[in-house]
Short mmCIF file of all heavy atoms in Angstrom, two decimals:
data_model
loop_
_atom_site.label_atom_id
_atom_site.label_comp_id
_atom_site.label_asym_id
_atom_site.label_seq_id
_atom_site.Cartn_x
_atom_site.Cartn_y
_atom_site.Cartn_z
N LEU A 217 -52.07 77.01 -21.68
CA LEU A 217 -52.87 76.17 -22.55
C LEU A 217 -53.34 74.93 -21.82
O LEU A 217 -52.64 74.40 -20.98
CB LEU A 217 -52.03 75.73 -23.76
CG LEU A 217 -51.58 76.83 -24.72
CD1 LEU A 217 -50.66 76.24 -25.77
CD2 LEU A 217 -52.78 77.48 -25.39
N ASP A 218 -54.51 74.45 -22.16
CA ASP A 218 -54.98 73.16 -21.71
C ASP A 218 -54.05 72.13 -22.34
O ASP A 218 -53.92 72.08 -23.55
CB ASP A 218 -56.43 72.97 -22.17
CG ASP A 218 -56.96 71.58 -21.93
OD1 ASP A 218 -56.29 70.78 -21.25
OD2 ASP A 218 -58.06 71.30 -22.43
N PHE A 219 -53.39 71.32 -21.54
CA PHE A 219 -52.36 70.44 -22.07
C PHE A 219 -52.90 69.37 -22.99
O PHE A 219 -52.16 68.71 -23.70
CB PHE A 219 -51.54 69.81 -20.94
CG PHE A 219 -52.29 68.75 -20.18
CD1 PHE A 219 -52.20 67.42 -20.56
CD2 PHE A 219 -53.07 69.08 -19.09
CE1 PHE A 219 -52.88 66.45 -19.85
CE2 PHE A 219 -53.74 68.10 -18.38
CZ PHE A 219 -53.64 66.80 -18.77
N THR A 220 -54.20 69.17 -23.07
CA THR A 220 -54.75 68.13 -23.93
C THR A 220 -55.30 68.73 -25.22
O THR A 220 -54.68 68.63 -26.26
CB THR A 220 -55.84 67.34 -23.20
OG1 THR A 220 -56.78 68.25 -22.64
CG2 THR A 220 -55.26 66.47 -22.11
N SER A 221 -56.46 69.38 -25.15
CA SER A 221 -57.17 69.74 -26.37
C SER A 221 -56.43 70.71 -27.27
O SER A 221 -56.47 70.57 -28.48
CB SER A 221 -58.54 70.31 -26.02
OG SER A 221 -58.41 71.48 -25.25
N SER A 222 -55.74 71.69 -26.72
CA SER A 222 -55.10 72.67 -27.59
C SER A 222 -53.61 72.84 -27.27
O SER A 222 -52.98 73.72 -27.80
CB SER A 222 -55.79 74.03 -27.45
OG SER A 222 -55.66 74.49 -26.11
N GLY A 223 -53.11 72.00 -26.44
CA GLY A 223 -51.74 72.17 -26.00
C GLY A 223 -50.76 71.16 -26.54
O GLY A 223 -50.91 70.65 -27.65
N PRO A 224 -49.75 70.89 -25.74
CA PRO A 224 -48.63 70.05 -26.18
C PRO A 224 -49.02 68.65 -26.62
O PRO A 224 -48.44 68.13 -27.58
CB PRO A 224 -47.72 69.98 -24.95
CG PRO A 224 -48.12 71.12 -24.10
CD PRO A 224 -49.55 71.42 -24.41
N LEU A 225 -49.98 68.01 -25.98
CA LEU A 225 -50.34 66.66 -26.39
C LEU A 225 -50.96 66.65 -27.78
O LEU A 225 -50.69 65.75 -28.58
CB LEU A 225 -51.29 66.01 -25.40
CG LEU A 225 -50.66 65.48 -24.12
CD1 LEU A 225 -51.72 64.86 -23.22
CD2 LEU A 225 -49.56 64.49 -24.40
N LEU A 226 -51.79 67.63 -28.09
CA LEU A 226 -52.37 67.70 -29.43
C LEU A 226 -51.27 67.95 -30.46
O LEU A 226 -51.23 67.29 -31.50
CB LEU A 226 -53.45 68.77 -29.52
CG LEU A 226 -54.08 68.95 -30.91
CD1 LEU A 226 -54.69 67.64 -31.41
CD2 LEU A 226 -55.13 70.05 -30.88
N ARG A 227 -50.37 68.88 -30.16
CA ARG A 227 -49.26 69.13 -31.10
C ARG A 227 -48.40 67.88 -31.28
O ARG A 227 -47.97 67.57 -32.38
CB ARG A 227 -48.42 70.32 -30.62
CG ARG A 227 -49.15 71.65 -30.73
CD ARG A 227 -48.22 72.84 -30.54
NE ARG A 227 -47.49 72.81 -29.28
CZ ARG A 227 -47.92 73.32 -28.14
NH1 ARG A 227 -49.12 73.87 -28.07
NH2 ARG A 227 -47.17 73.27 -27.05
N THR A 228 -48.18 67.14 -30.20
CA THR A 228 -47.41 65.90 -30.28
C THR A 228 -48.14 64.88 -31.15
O THR A 228 -47.53 64.27 -32.05
CB THR A 228 -47.17 65.32 -28.87
OG1 THR A 228 -46.44 66.27 -28.10
CG2 THR A 228 -46.39 64.03 -28.94
N ALA A 229 -49.42 64.68 -30.91
CA ALA A 229 -50.20 63.72 -31.69
C ALA A 229 -50.25 64.12 -33.16
O ALA A 229 -50.15 63.26 -34.06
CB ALA A 229 -51.60 63.57 -31.11
N GLU A 230 -50.41 65.40 -33.44
CA GLU A 230 -50.42 65.86 -34.83
C GLU A 230 -49.08 65.62 -35.50
O GLU A 230 -49.03 65.22 -36.67
CB GLU A 230 -50.81 67.34 -34.89
CG GLU A 230 -52.26 67.58 -34.57
CD GLU A 230 -52.63 69.06 -34.45
OE1 GLU A 230 -51.74 69.91 -34.23
OE2 GLU A 230 -53.83 69.35 -34.55
N TYR A 231 -48.00 65.83 -34.77
CA TYR A 231 -46.66 65.58 -35.31
C TYR A 231 -46.50 64.09 -35.62
O TYR A 231 -46.01 63.72 -36.69
CB TYR A 231 -45.59 66.04 -34.33
CG TYR A 231 -44.18 65.89 -34.86
CD1 TYR A 231 -43.61 66.92 -35.62
CD2 TYR A 231 -43.44 64.74 -34.63
CE1 TYR A 231 -42.33 66.78 -36.12
CE2 TYR A 231 -42.16 64.60 -35.12
CZ TYR A 231 -41.61 65.63 -35.87
OH TYR A 231 -40.34 65.48 -36.36
N VAL A 232 -46.90 63.23 -34.70
CA VAL A 232 -46.83 61.78 -34.91
C VAL A 232 -47.68 61.40 -36.11
O VAL A 232 -47.26 60.59 -36.96
CB VAL A 232 -47.25 61.01 -33.64
CG1 VAL A 232 -47.43 59.52 -33.94
CG2 VAL A 232 -46.23 61.22 -32.53
N GLU A 233 -48.87 61.97 -36.20
CA GLU A 233 -49.77 61.68 -37.32
C GLU A 233 -49.13 62.07 -38.65
O GLU A 233 -49.18 61.32 -39.62
CB GLU A 233 -51.08 62.44 -37.11
CG GLU A 233 -52.19 62.10 -38.08
CD GLU A 233 -53.49 62.81 -37.71
OE1 GLU A 233 -53.47 64.04 -37.50
OE2 GLU A 233 -54.50 62.12 -37.61
N GLN A 234 -48.47 63.23 -38.70
CA GLN A 234 -47.82 63.70 -39.92
C GLN A 234 -46.61 62.84 -40.29
O GLN A 234 -46.25 62.76 -41.47
CB GLN A 234 -47.36 65.15 -39.76
CG GLN A 234 -48.50 66.13 -39.68
CD GLN A 234 -48.06 67.51 -39.21
OE1 GLN A 234 -46.88 67.75 -38.95
NE2 GLN A 234 -49.01 68.42 -39.09
N HIS A 235 -45.98 62.22 -39.32
CA HIS A 235 -44.79 61.38 -39.54
C HIS A 235 -45.08 59.93 -39.16
O HIS A 235 -44.21 59.23 -38.64
CB HIS A 235 -43.62 61.94 -38.74
CG HIS A 235 -43.26 63.34 -39.11
ND1 HIS A 235 -43.85 64.43 -38.49
CD2 HIS A 235 -42.44 63.84 -40.06
CE1 HIS A 235 -43.38 65.54 -39.04
NE2 HIS A 235 -42.53 65.22 -39.99
N ALA A 236 -46.31 59.49 -39.43
CA ALA A 236 -46.78 58.17 -38.99
C ALA A 236 -45.86 57.03 -39.43
O ALA A 236 -45.58 56.12 -38.65
CB ALA A 236 -48.20 57.93 -39.50
N THR A 237 -45.39 57.08 -40.65
CA THR A 237 -44.55 55.98 -41.16
C THR A 237 -43.32 55.79 -40.30
O THR A 237 -42.96 54.66 -39.96
CB THR A 237 -44.13 56.26 -42.62
OG1 THR A 237 -45.31 56.50 -43.39
CG2 THR A 237 -43.38 55.09 -43.21
N VAL A 238 -42.68 56.88 -39.92
CA VAL A 238 -41.48 56.80 -39.09
C VAL A 238 -41.81 56.20 -37.73
O VAL A 238 -41.11 55.30 -37.25
CB VAL A 238 -40.86 58.21 -38.91
CG1 VAL A 238 -39.72 58.18 -37.90
CG2 VAL A 238 -40.40 58.76 -40.24
N PHE A 239 -42.88 56.66 -37.10
CA PHE A 239 -43.22 56.19 -35.76
C PHE A 239 -43.72 54.75 -35.76
O PHE A 239 -43.40 53.98 -34.86
CB PHE A 239 -44.22 57.15 -35.10
CG PHE A 239 -43.58 58.43 -34.69
CD1 PHE A 239 -43.65 59.55 -35.50
CD2 PHE A 239 -42.85 58.52 -33.51
CE1 PHE A 239 -43.03 60.74 -35.13
CE2 PHE A 239 -42.24 59.70 -33.14
CZ PHE A 239 -42.32 60.81 -33.95
N ILE A 240 -44.48 54.36 -36.78
CA ILE A 240 -44.94 52.97 -36.87
C ILE A 240 -43.73 52.05 -37.07
O ILE A 240 -43.63 51.00 -36.43
CB ILE A 240 -45.98 52.81 -38.00
CG1 ILE A 240 -47.28 53.50 -37.58
CG2 ILE A 240 -46.23 51.34 -38.31
CD1 ILE A 240 -48.30 53.65 -38.69
N THR A 241 -42.79 52.45 -37.91
CA THR A 241 -41.57 51.66 -38.11
C THR A 241 -40.77 51.58 -36.82
O THR A 241 -40.30 50.50 -36.45
CB THR A 241 -40.71 52.28 -39.23
OG1 THR A 241 -41.48 52.30 -40.44
CG2 THR A 241 -39.43 51.49 -39.44
#
């Protein structure tokens, strides 16, 4: 996988986005 657009970084960013309150805190 391309590590940016469809790979681990996107999955990481999506996970952070879904749990934004925890990460912002």
Side-chain angles (χ1 to χ4, degrees):
L217 295 175
D218 172 9
F219 73 92
T220 51
S221 62
S222 62
L225 283 180
L226 178 57
R227 290 192 304 272
T228 300
E230 288 172 340
Y231 184 88
V232 169
E233 188 174 51
Q234 291 167 1
H235 300 89
T237 305
V238 173
F239 287 97
I240 290 169
T241 301

